[in-house]
Every structure is written in C-alpha cells, then in structure tokens.
Amino acid sequence: MKKKLLCTLLALALVAGIASLASAKVMLSIATAGENSTYHRFGKTLANLITRTGRMSCTAETSGGSVENIRILSDPDENNELAVAQSDVLFMALHSDAMFRNLPVKNVRALAALYDEPFFIVATKKSGIKTVRDLKGKRVSLGRVGSGGAADAALLFESADLDIRKDFQSILYGNYGVLKSSFLNDQVDAGVIMGVDNLQSVLKTCKDLIVLSIPSSLTSKVIAAHPFFFTKKFAKGALGAGVGEVVTLSVKAVLVAPSSLANADVADILSTLWENVDKFHKLSPELKSLNIAQATKGVAIPLHTGAVKFYQAKKVLQNK
C-alpha cells in the first residue's frame, strides 16, 4: 500500500513539474542606451508590450549604446538578450573590424530595421569651426564610451585624415547631458550626436551652435570605405529654426537577437512589435518612420531565421 501511494505521489509530482515547465515564461531583456535615449524609449515600450502578452516577460536595460550592446550579446550565456544597435556597429562586429578585431561576434542576427540614425557634428559659433577639418586642435566630445556615435566619429575622422589621439586638443566622453553641460560651461568646441531627437534636444538647451554639413567629397570617401553608411539630406529648417540645409551620414538602428533565440520567440516578438507600431510612432521623431515594409532594409547583417520566416509570411520577403 505504501509503495503504491509513493508511486502515485511521484507520478503527481512529475506531472506537476512538467506542467510548471510548460507554463514557464521566457525571460527576456533588451539592451538599449541611456535612459532618455530613443533606444531606451523604444526598448522600454517593446518590453512592456511583450510582457503584457503573457507569453514572455521582458525588461529594458540601460547601457553605453551600440558597441556595449553587441559585446553583451557576444556572451554565449546571453541567449535571451535582445538589443538595439547601429547597422555599422553590427557590420563591424560580424566582420571582426575596428573595435571588434579582438572580439569576433558571429552569433548576432537582425530582427528589424527600425529607423535612420543620422550622424551630426555640432560646434559653437565662436569656435570658428565650419568644416570637419576645422576640428583639428579643438576640444571635441565623442559621446558615451561604447556608443555607436563614438565609433562613427572614428571612421569619419579617419577618412578626413584626422587622428583622434593626436589632432585634437582634448577628447570628452559622456552622454548628451554631459555634452549640454560642457557646451554651457565652455568646456568643448564641438560634439558628435546621433539622431534627430538628440540633436534637437541639445540645440534647444545650448544656443549659438551650428550643425556642420559634410561635403560630398568626404561622404563619398567614407561610404566607399564603409558601405553601411548612406547620405541623408535635411532641408533648411528641418532640424530646427535657424538651422540651414545639412547633408550628413546615416546608418540604421536595428533590433537584434542571438541566433540561438527560438524561432517561435522571435515570431512572438515581431508580432508584438508590428501589431503595436502606432504606439512607437508617438515616442520620437525618428520612430515615426517605423514601417514593416522597411524592416529588412539596410540591416547590414543576416536576418534571424525566425525573422526570415515571419517576413516571408507577411509578404515583406519573397520565399526562396
């Protein structure tokens, strides 16, 4: 009798354990950027929407930005980590280039192109800076350590024959709050900014700044060396009152995941994103352009197999 009761209890425990495993939620997190960034607003909104579905639980984490995010995903233990990153940084990671020469990253895959991320250089009017070459001998802010903006600045300056280690009076690293304070306290002459939203925030706080326009001779040189860049033109006044026509370089912001993330989880994430696209349009000027028709354009790295299947089913990609 005791033996029969014990077997019954073990069977019930086994069934309960299986039921518990079956009902266990997938735990995800999204590496973004600084707390006030478009990356973080996007990631926090997506995380909340994913969690509300009840199928998965997700949180958004602040970080240094694109480079740091890809380094996080390069950890083989981070199987349930999503991230937002610039397409140029993704390309360099996949090809073990630039800051990833000693850290090959082969396991990161694209889920969706989100929006264009133009690269801006702003300078104080009194600095006399009119062109990229005029930055030589000046005090320059490159953004946060580990950010895509700092990575882009290095590539642009290299094409302009400027050596970050030798040609600037000083280099400052920090978020856009630090950049604003540095301009207000006359601690920098120029700064690098990624994204229209961040640019307009800095221009609103700091007066007497100009936005540099990059000449075609330099953009062509940068694109020839780094084809993940493309040019983007802003008409006079498009970036704010008093800002003239600006031609600059741009990359894509991309939602990425480890290649090991289950296809079914990828499908759930993408369904949540695109079924709620109107909520993201309200978050920032950049995200107004979020569109499933452009989701596979300019991502610079291979799509996740789950994303391929999802977009084929949605007729965004053709079946092969």
Side-chain angles (χ1 to χ4, degrees):
M1 182 68 180
K2 289 183 179 179
K3 185 175 181 181
K4 185 176 180 180
L5 178 61
L6 179 60
C7 290
T8 301
L9 292 173
L10 288 172
L12 290 172
L14 179 60
V15 170
I18 292 172
S20 177
L21 287 172
S23 63
K25 289 183 180 180
V26 175
M27 308 296 290
L28 299 171
S29 61
I30 305 175
T32 61
E35 192 167 339
N36 294 318
S37 66
T38 300
Y39 278 19
H40 189 66
R41 288 197 290 274
F42 169 83
K44 186 175 181 180
T45 300
L46 180 59
N48 289 340
L49 290 168
I50 288 172
T51 300
R52 285 178 197 169
T53 67
R55 299 186 298 273
M56 296 181 281
S57 179
C58 189
T59 58
E61 308 292 344
T62 59
S63 76
S66 293
V67 176
E68 182 180 337
N69 292 351
I70 300 310
R71 286 177 174 156
I72 291 170
L73 263 66
S74 70
D75 185 340
D77 293 329
E78 297 292 351
N79 292 319
N80 289 347
E81 182 84 33
L82 308 179
V84 184
Q86 293 172 200
S87 57
D88 54 327
V89 174
L90 294 169
F91 182 92
M92 289 184 279
L94 187 66
H95 293 85
S96 303
D97 194 13
M99 73 289 296
F100 295 100
R101 285 192 181 97
N102 298 318
L103 180 65
V105 181
K106 305 299 182 184
N107 67 322
V108 178
R109 296 292 181 268
L111 300 189
L114 304 177
Y115 57 88
D116 292 352
E117 276 203 289
F119 171 93
F120 300 104
I121 299 176
V122 296
T124 63
K125 291 180 179 178
K126 68 178 182 179
S127 69
I129 296 169
K130 303 290 186 184
T131 70
V132 175
R133 288 289 301 169
D134 292 339
L135 294 170
K136 188 171 184 177
K138 303 297 185 180
R139 303 167 298 171
V140 181
S141 171
L142 296 183
R144 293 180 67 157
V145 174
S147 69
D152 283 349
L155 298 179
L156 174 65
F157 295 151
E158 180 181 16
S159 292
D161 299 319
L162 290 172
D163 188 327
I164 290 177
R165 297 166 297 178
K166 300 177 181 178
D167 288 337
F168 300 117
Q169 179 181 330
S170 62
I171 290 293
L172 174 72
Y173 289 97
N175 61 25
Y176 295 123
V178 171
L179 177 60
K180 291 176 185 178
S181 297
S182 300
F183 275 132
L184 293 173
N185 295 316
D186 192 27
Q187 295 172 319
V188 293
D189 301 304
V192 171
I193 300 174
M194 292 298 302
V196 174
D197 197 26
N198 292 324
L199 173 69
Q200 292 178 335
S201 176
V202 172
L203 293 178
K204 183 178 179 180
T205 302
C206 307
K207 308 304 179 182
D208 296 322
L209 296 180
I210 63 168
V211 183
L212 301 191
S213 195
I214 305 176
S216 60
S217 57
L218 183 52
T219 58
S220 297
K221 188 176 180 181
V222 174
I223 293 169
H226 311 289
F228 41 75
F229 282 112
F230 54 94
T231 57
K232 195 169 181 68
K233 182 177 180 179
F234 295 89
K236 181 179 179 181
L239 296 173
V243 180
E245 179 183 280
V246 173
V247 177
T248 190
L249 292 163
S250 186
V251 294
K252 288 285 187 181
V254 184
L255 179 65
V256 297
S259 55
S260 57
L261 187 64
N263 287 354
D265 294 336
V266 169
D268 283 347
I269 292 164
L270 292 177
S271 292
T272 301
L273 168 61
W274 297 116
E275 288 169 8
N276 294 278
V277 68
D278 58 315
K279 293 180 173 62
F280 295 96
H281 289 164
K282 301 173 184 177
L283 297 178
S284 75
E286 292 99 333
L287 284 165
K288 288 180 181 178
S289 63
L290 185 63
N291 184 339
I292 192 172
Q294 301 298 315
T296 64
K297 310 294 186 183
V299 295
I301 63 170
L303 288 166
H304 192 286
T305 54
V308 171
K309 293 178 180 179
F310 177 87
Y311 292 122
Q312 286 175 341
K314 296 293 182 180
K315 308 301 183 185
V316 174
L317 281 177
Q318 296 296 317
N319 289 296
K320 293 184 179 180

